[in-house]
Amino acid sequence: MASEDIESRGAGAKTTVNNYSSSSSYALENSDTRWTSWLIPVFVVANVAMFIVVMYINNCPKHNFGFDGKCVARFLGRFSFQPLRENPLFGPSSSTLEKLGALQWTKVVHKHQGWRLITCIWLHAGVIHLLANMICLVFIGIRLEQQFGFVRIGIIYLLSGLGGSILSSLFIRNNISVGASGALFGLLGAMLSELLTNWTIYTNKAAALLTLLIIVAINLAVGILPHVDNFAHIGGFLTGLLLGFILLPRPQFGWVERQNLPVDVRAKSKYKPYQYVLWLLSLLLLVVGFTVGLVMLFRGESANDKCHWCHYLSCVPTSSWNCDSI
């Protein structure tokens, strides 16, 4: 698996994402919990179940011929892992992931398998990759779902994952990609835009904003390491950021309490003027971004031709490693 660039390419980034939960206490501390979180636990179960299916199909003892070493944890039978030289994350082979829906530019564009833009979100390269992502999802997603409900958080999660897949495909052609990192970064982006669009109702605003920005910066910085798909992170984050402005604005207190006002007192509008402006701009940017991205992707265009320096956003070559595979 050393030759493949899976978005577990981002396993290192996932461990840092666990810190996301620390910022949610700032952003949501003054809000009442109104929803029971069930969708995020379902997503976690679905990801774990999918990984079990992948390992069942992978069947290392049957398909590994010992060129890279013996299967790991052979007592698990057909669920044992590929040799560590091939996959150090304790997981399946690249060929199994590709067969089951990993993101691969050639198959999406030339074989018209656009469904891979979604299926790759539910695949993971190994136990380490899976655990890191699911821990992050629990810490970030459950709190957000309790605040805003399963519909809005589900939309943000899925569309952010799609946005991450599109941007990744536009820049990276030579490797496969799997993982929920784009969707997770989307939830983080939504947390940031929710804080900004509802700025006036929170205390400790500066601390909340600084915490979120530091977390974003750290995780994007990790993304410049080799074998980490930072384009999926960036695409998911930007999608979630815009969706947060669209789906997560909170109404003004005066509008919420309008039924208790005297008859001759005019109630405030539901949202502040700047919230309407952010909503409209975000919707336009989201529609334009997805449209342009999908058109470029299915026309076979490479975003690297439009932006000659953007590849440094995903990998910065040093004396210790190169980025030739990008």
Side-chain angles (χ1 to χ4, degrees):
M1 184 172 290
S3 62
E4 301 292 352
D5 212 13
I6 36 193
E7 182 236 359
S8 68
R9 297 193 256 210
K14 311 307 180 302
T15 56
T16 314
V17 177
N18 291 340
N19 294 326
Y20 292 170
S21 60
S22 64
S23 64
S24 63
S25 61
Y26 289 102
L28 303 175
E29 63 183 355
N30 291 328
S31 303
D32 295 325
T33 300
R34 296 178 297 134
W35 302 84
T36 299
S37 176
W38 63 268
L39 184 63
I40 295 301
V42 167
F43 282 168
V44 172
V45 171
N47 277 280
V48 173
M50 190 64 206
F51 183 74
I52 294 174
V53 171
V54 169
M55 294 307 303
Y56 179 85
I57 295 174
N58 185 68
N59 195 1
C60 180
K62 180 178 179 180
H63 299 125
N64 179 60
F65 299 104
F67 298 124
D68 293 312
K70 296 181 179 179
C71 298
V72 178
R74 285 179 290 173
F75 64 89
L76 294 175
R78 68 182 299 149
F79 293 96
S80 58
F81 310 120
Q82 293 298 119
L84 293 181
R85 289 181 59 186
E86 181 182 356
N87 186 347
L89 299 177
F90 299 97
S93 65
S94 299
S95 59
T96 299
L97 291 171
E98 186 173 346
K99 179 171 65 176
L100 294 178
L103 184 61
Q104 211 278 335
W105 181 84
T106 301
K107 293 186 180 296
V108 171
V109 176
H110 296 299
K111 297 189 177 181
H112 309 292
Q113 297 178 1
W115 46 268
R116 289 178 178 270
L117 295 169
I118 295 295
T119 55
C120 67
I121 303 171
W122 306 96
L123 297 173
H124 287 84
V127 173
I128 297 175
H129 189 202
L130 177 69
L131 286 177
N133 271 353
M134 292 306 99
I135 291 173
C136 297
L137 180 57
V138 168
F139 275 90
I140 303 171
I142 287 182
R143 189 69 178 272
L144 284 174
E145 186 181 355
Q146 288 173 340
Q147 294 294 325
F148 297 103
F150 70 93
V151 174
R152 287 181 283 182
I153 300 309
I155 291 173
I156 292 172
Y157 182 87
L158 294 175
L159 287 184
S160 296
L162 176 61
S165 296
I166 293 173
L167 192 65
S168 176
S169 297
L170 287 173
F171 283 97
I172 299 177
R173 295 189 172 190
N174 301 324
N175 306 291
I176 68 171
S177 179
V178 294
S181 293
L184 291 171
F185 267 78
L187 294 180
L188 181 62
M191 289 175 63
L192 179 58
S193 55
E194 192 275 329
L195 172 63
L196 295 174
T197 195
N198 302 313
W199 185 258
T200 58
I201 71 174
Y202 290 125
T203 59
N204 296 326
K205 303 179 183 69
L209 181 60
L210 181 61
T211 301
L212 281 170
L213 291 177
I214 290 175
I215 292 170
V216 171
I218 291 174
N219 284 278
L220 291 180
V222 171
I224 66 175
L225 297 173
H227 309 299
V228 179
D229 185 1
N230 215 23
F231 290 116
H233 299 169
I234 295 171
F237 177 79
L238 293 177
T239 302
L241 183 73
L242 295 176
L243 285 171
F245 286 126
I246 297 170
L247 298 176
L248 305 183
R250 297 177 187 269
Q252 296 189 73
F253 179 77
W255 185 86
V256 174
E257 296 295 320
R258 66 192 182 284
Q259 294 180 345
N260 299 325
L261 295 175
V263 178
D264 57 340
V265 177
R266 183 180 178 181
K268 294 182 179 180
S269 62
K270 186 173 183 179
Y271 300 110
K272 293 181 179 294
Y274 77 87
Q275 290 178 307
Y276 285 110
V277 172
L278 288 172
W279 184 92
L280 181 59
L281 289 176
S282 297
L283 181 62
L284 289 174
L285 288 172
L286 191 67
V287 172
V288 171
F290 268 81
T291 302
V292 172
L294 287 171
V295 168
M296 288 181 61
L297 176 60
F298 288 107
R299 289 178 59 181
E301 298 182 21
S302 172
N304 288 302
D305 296 334
K306 312 292 183 182
C307 179
H308 299 290
W309 57 267
C310 286
H311 61 278
Y312 292 116
L313 295 175
S314 188
C315 184
V316 176
T318 69
S319 59
S320 301
W321 64 73
N322 62 65
C323 303
D324 295 336
S325 62
I326 302 298

